[in-house]
Amino acid sequence: CMWMESYNYVYGLTRNPYNLAHTVGGSSGGEGAAIASCCSAFGMGSDVGGSLRIPAAFCGIYAHKPTGGLVTNEGQYPITSGAVSTVLATGPMCRHAEDLLLLLNILAQPAGASPAKKISTRGLSAGDESADMDE
C-alpha cells in the first residue's frame, strides 16, 4: 500500500496523464490519474503515509487527508488494525480545491445516517487556513 507508484498485475504500471514517463504516485495514484485525465469529476482514496497527497501533487489535482475518524474507513481492504488504523484516513480527491469541502460534507457522515450536521463553508475560500467546524 505505501509505495511511490501504482502498479497491479492485471493492468501494470499506472502512468501520469500529463507525461507517460512519470509516475502518478502512491496507492491512490490510479484514482488521481483518472481525475486528472477527466475520467471522473471526483473520487476517494485512503492515506496513511501520503497515498492521497502524493498522487494529488504528482497529477495536479487536490486531495485532503481528514482527521482520523472523521470519515469512516469501513469497508476498506485490507482491513487495518493496531497503530495503522489510528492514522488511516479516507478522503476526497478532485480537480478543484473548492470541491474538497463539499465532498468532505458528504463523506463525513456516519454510515447510514442522514446528513444532519454539515461542516461550515461560511466565509471560506480555497486555501483558507482559518477554517473550523460549526458547533
Side-chain angles (χ1 to χ4, degrees), residues 68-69 80-89:
T80 60
S81 62
V84 173
S85 64
T86 62
V87 294
L88 174 67

Side-chain angles (χ1 to χ4, degrees), residues 21-35:
H22 293 169
T23 184
V24 294
S27 63
S28 297
E31 189 74 17
I35 294 165

